[in-house]
Amino acid sequence: MIKWSGKPTIRVRNTMGQRLEEFKPLKPGIVRMYVCGPTVYDYTHIGHARTYVAFDAIKRYLVLRGYHVIHVQNITDIDDKIINRAQRENRDWREIVDEYSRDYFDMLKKLNIKVHIHPRVTEHIKEIIDFIQGLIDKGYAYVAPSGSVYFNVDAYPEYGSLSGRFHPEDWRQEEDVLREKKNPYDFALWKAWRPGEPYWEAPWGRGRPGWHIECSVMSSRYLGEQFDIHGGGQDLIFPHHENEKAQSEAYFSKKPWVKYWLHTGYLTIRGEKMSKSLGNIIPFREAAKKWNPSVLRMWLLSAHYRTQLDFSEESLAQAEANLRRIRGTVSELTRMLERATPEGRISDDELKAIEDTSHAYLEFHEAMSNDFNTAAALASILKLTRLVNSTIIPGEYYTAGMLALRLYEEFNSVFSVIDDVLYGSAAPGGETVEKLIELIVSVRQELRKRRIYDIADSIRSELSQLGIRLYDHPGGKTTWRIE
Ligand SMILES: Nc1ncnc2c1ncn2[C@@H]1O[C@H](COP(=O)(O)OP(=O)(O)OP(=O)(O)O)[C@@H](O)[C@H]1O
Ligand SMILES: [Zn+2]
C-alpha cells in the first residue's frame, strides 16, 4: 500500500556503480542530458527508436517534475561505416549523411521527440583537435608513426570502472591497428588519413577524429565540463562510454564527468539484438506505415527502459488495443465532464472513486520515480481506465472525473500518445464529426422510442464498423465513444 506524502523522490539506476541512487542534479532545477545519437549510414530502425523514445520519456518526466532539461543528442556524420558505404556505392560521403540524417529527423518528428541541440562531428573538428592536443600535452595521449593519435589507457588508472571490466585482457579494442599502439587496449583519438578518405589538417598530420572523442567534445561544448545524465544503448557501455569517460576525466581533471550513466536494454527480434550488422532490422519508416507512431511509442514504453523488449506483432497489437481503450475512455470522459453538472455534494460512492483515482495517481508517480518505470506507470493508467469506465463515467462523477483527467494529462505528458484526444477534438475530423455523431445518436433514440428497432440496430452496427461504438443504458440513455 502506497502512502501519500507528496510526489516520491526520483531514483535512478546508475550504470556506474550499478546502484539505484537518489536523483539530484549538479545544479538545482536544471538537468543536463547527453544521449549518443546515430551514425548516419543507413535507415534508422526501431531499435534506435527504442533508445530515443526511452530518453524522451525520461526527459518528459523530469520536466513534469519541474526540472528544466537541456537535451543534446549528437549526429555522427563521419565514421568508417559512412566512408565504407560511400565507397561501396561510389557516392560522396556527404550525400549518404544527408539522406540518412533526413530519415533520422523524420523519425524524431513522427515520434514527437524534441531534442534541443543536434551537434555534428564535422562542425566541431577544431574543438576536437584542441581537445586531443590537450590530452597529448597532459601525457594522456601519444602520436603514432602513422600520424594517428591514441589514448594511453595506462595513464588513466580508473579505466574499466564504468563497464565493470577490471582486467586489461578484457579491454582489447581496435585490433586492426595493434602494431602501432603501445597496448592492445589503447584507442584512437585521431585516425591518420588513407587515400580516398575525407580528411582535416591537424598538427600531427591530416586525418579524421576517432569515434569516442566526438562525444567528450560536443557534450562539454553544450553542457559544460560536468553534467547530469549520459545515455545510450547498453552496447555503448564498452568501449564507447568507457573511453569517453577516460578522455574527459583525464582532460578536465574533474570527477565525476557524468553524474548518472543510463543505458537502455536492447530491442530484440526473436531474441537477437536488432542491428544493421545482423541484418534483422525493421526500418522505422516501414514500421510507421503499419503502425501509428503513437502505437509505436506506446509499445516501446510498455517495457522498462533497461529491460530487453522483443518485437512481435502480438505485442504491438496489445499496445494498439490498450491505446484504443485509453483513447476511447478519455474521449468519453471529456464528454461526460462537459455534460455533467457538478453536484452540490459528493456521495460516498464518488468519494471512493476519488480515493481510487488518487491512488492510481500515486502509483503512476511511484513507478516513474522508480528509475522511470514506464511499464508499471502504464499499468496504473490501465487500472485508472477500468475505474473510469466502470464507475466514474456511469456515475457521472464530476470531481472524480476531473481528477482522472488530470492523471491522463500527466500520463500523456510523458507518453505523448493522446495529445489529439486531450487537446484537439475528441473525435477525428473535428467538432463537426462529433456533432454529426450526436445527431445520428438522437435520431436513433427517436427510432427506438417508436420501436423501429431493426433500423436502430443497423445504425449501431454501421457506426461500429466506423469505429464508433454506441452503448445503450437502462432507462433509454445512449452514450458513444470512438475506438
Ligand atoms: N537494438 C537496439 N536496441 C536498443 N538500442 C539500440 C539498438 N541498436 C542500436 N541502439 C542504440 O541506438 C543508438 C544509435 O546507435 P548507432 O547509430 O551507433 O547504431 P548502430 O550501432 O550503427 O546500429 P546497429 O547496431 O544496428 O549497427 C545508440 O544509443 C545505440 O545503443
Ligand atoms: Zn557517444
Side-chain angles (χ1 to χ4, degrees):
M1 177 70 188
I2 300 166
K3 290 215 176 67
W4 178 263
S5 57
K7 291 212 179 93
T9 306
I10 299 175
R11 283 155 298 150
V12 295
R13 186 168 185 284
N14 198 344
T15 305
M16 182 68 207
Q18 311 269 355
R19 273 195 318 267
L20 199 62
E21 292 176 25
E22 182 177 336
F23 182 73
K24 263 198 191 151
L26 293 156
K27 287 186 190 298
I30 299 167
V31 178
R32 290 168 284 173
M33 177 169 101
Y34 184 91
V35 179
C36 290
T39 305
V40 280
Y41 71 103
D42 208 337
Y43 290 114
T44 323
H45 59 73
I46 56 174
H48 302 141
R50 191 211 182 172
T51 293
Y52 305 135
V53 167
F55 284 101
D56 178 63
I58 289 172
K59 171 179 78 182
R60 285 166 171 274
Y61 187 64
L62 292 170
V63 169
L64 180 65
R65 292 292 297 268
Y67 291 104
H68 294 285
V69 182
I70 310 170
H71 180 183
V72 180
Q73 196 161 293
N74 69 302
I75 293 180
T76 302
D77 62 349
I78 187 73
D79 181 80
D80 291 350
K81 293 174 185 171
I82 297 171
I83 296 169
N84 292 344
R85 178 146 197 165
Q87 286 174 345
R88 217 174 44 238
E89 294 180 2
N90 203 15
R91 288 165 78 192
D92 189 294
W93 62 277
R94 277 162 291 222
E95 245 179 73
I96 305 279
V97 165
D98 276 358
E99 180 176 351
Y100 299 113
S101 343
R102 265 203 305 277
D103 177 64
Y104 164 69
F105 283 122
D106 189 51
M107 178 202 63
L108 292 185
K109 190 161 178 230
K110 288 208 169 81
L111 289 171
N112 205 11
I113 298 175
K114 295 189 179 86
V115 171
H116 296 124
I117 304 162
H118 301 271
R120 288 167 180 257
V121 186
T122 58
E123 288 166 6
H124 295 81
I125 301 290
K126 186 186 172 312
E127 288 93 335
I128 290 174
I129 291 173
D130 291 347
F131 200 111
I132 297 174
Q133 189 60 56
L135 286 171
I136 298 172
D137 296 346
K138 290 176 186 213
Y140 286 107
Y142 57 92
V143 183
S146 67
S148 287
V149 184
Y150 295 95
F151 187 85
N152 178 11
V153 170
D154 278 349
Y156 175 74
E158 281 172 45
Y159 195 81
S161 59
L162 176 67
S163 55
R165 296 180 186 223
F166 295 109
H167 303 292
E169 56 273 27
D170 297 333
W171 299 342
R172 292 178 79 94
Q173 53 189 308
E174 301 185 357
E175 303 266 313
D176 52 322
V177 285
L178 279 187
R179 259 185 304 125
E180 66 166 0
K181 295 195 287 185
K182 286 188 181 160
N183 282 304
Y185 39 80
D186 291 347
F187 56 89
L189 299 169
W190 186 261
K191 295 187 171 189
W193 177 70
R194 280 181 303 200
E197 290 183 356
Y199 63 86
W200 288 264
E201 297 292 349
W204 45 84
R206 58 174 58 163
R208 63 191 160 89
W211 175 30
H212 318 292
I213 192 71
E214 63 181 78
C215 291
S216 291
V217 171
M218 297 191 291
S219 58
S220 57
R221 163 101 200 254
Y222 298 100
L223 299 174
E225 295 179 2
Q226 291 177 296
F227 56 95
D228 303 292
I229 296 179
H230 194 321
Q234 70 181 62
D235 53 331
L236 299 189
I237 300 174
F238 187 89
H240 188 50
H241 288 168
E242 192 72 63
N243 293 352
E244 282 186 29
K245 178 173 176 288
Q247 295 159 169
S248 307
E249 292 188 349
Y251 183 85
F252 294 119
S253 313
K254 273 188 191 157
K255 277 180 211 154
W257 173 51
V258 165
K259 195 157 182 207
Y260 306 104
W261 289 91
L262 270 54
H263 292 101
T264 51
Y266 291 139
L267 182 84
T268 54
I269 181 158
R270 285 179 285 280
E272 246 187 346
K273 184 196 173 199
M274 188 172 285
S275 149
K276 283 170 242 172
S277 36
L278 294 173
N280 61 359
I281 66 163
I282 300 179
F284 178 81
R285 58 192 203 130
E286 296 301 326
K289 284 182 199 153
K290 197 157 177 191
W291 295 283
N292 189 299
S294 57
V295 172
L296 289 167
R297 274 190 76 101
M298 184 83 170
W299 170 63
L300 292 168
L301 294 172
S302 67
H304 184 201
Y305 76 87
R306 274 195 295 108
T307 60
Q308 184 173 308
L309 171 67
D310 200 50
F311 169 84
S312 73
E313 301 254 345
E314 298 78 60
S315 62
L316 266 143
Q318 181 63 53
E320 194 161 27
N322 284 342
L323 182 57
R324 200 181 311 125
R325 193 169 321 129
I326 293 172
R327 291 175 69 85
T329 304
V330 174
S331 95
E332 200 178 338
L333 176 66
T334 317
R335 280 197 310 280
M336 183 279 272
L337 291 170
E338 276 163 14
R339 183 171 73 227
T341 322
E343 293 234 353
R345 63 179 188 84
I346 288 171
S347 66
D348 287 351
D349 286 348
E350 179 165 4
L351 198 56
K352 171 79 175 61
I354 289 172
E355 257 179 77
D356 291 345
T357 306
S358 135
H359 193 252
Y361 183 84
L362 209 54
E363 271 180 352
F364 174 80
H365 281 284
E366 271 287 334
M368 288 308 299
S369 301
N370 185 13
D371 195 25
F372 312 106
N373 190 341
T374 51
L378 181 60
S380 72
I381 296 304
L382 292 172
K383 197 163 148 190
L384 172 80
T385 302
R386 284 194 292 277
L387 175 75
V388 171
N389 281 317
S390 66
T391 312
I392 297 178
I393 293 175
E396 301 220 326
Y397 295 152
Y398 185 84
T399 307
M402 288 301 271
L403 293 178
L405 191 64
R406 176 165 169 218
L407 178 48
Y408 282 119
E409 280 175 342
E410 298 208 354
F411 155 74
N412 185 59
S413 69
V414 177
F415 280 62
S416 184
V417 288
I418 51 167
D419 295 83
D420 55 338
V421 182
L422 284 170
Y423 308 113
S425 163
E431 245 176 64
T432 318
V433 172
E434 203 172 310
K435 283 193 180 135
L436 276 173
I437 299 172
E438 295 285 359
L439 180 67
I440 295 168
V441 168
S442 66
V443 170
R444 181 173 166 274
Q445 294 282 77
E446 206 44 50
L447 292 169
R448 291 178 75 220
K449 260 194 222 151
R450 296 180 194 188
R451 297 174 186 278
I452 311 178
Y453 291 117
D454 54 341
I455 300 181
D457 287 349
S458 82
I459 289 177
R460 180 154 86 161
S461 73
E462 292 283 329
L463 285 176
S464 164
Q465 303 258 318
L466 296 172
I468 300 158
R469 186 72 57 97
L470 304 191
Y471 298 92
D472 295 322
H473 300 278
K477 201 169 98 182
T478 298
T479 56
W480 60 273
R481 64 156 70 172
I482 293 171
E483 293 188 330

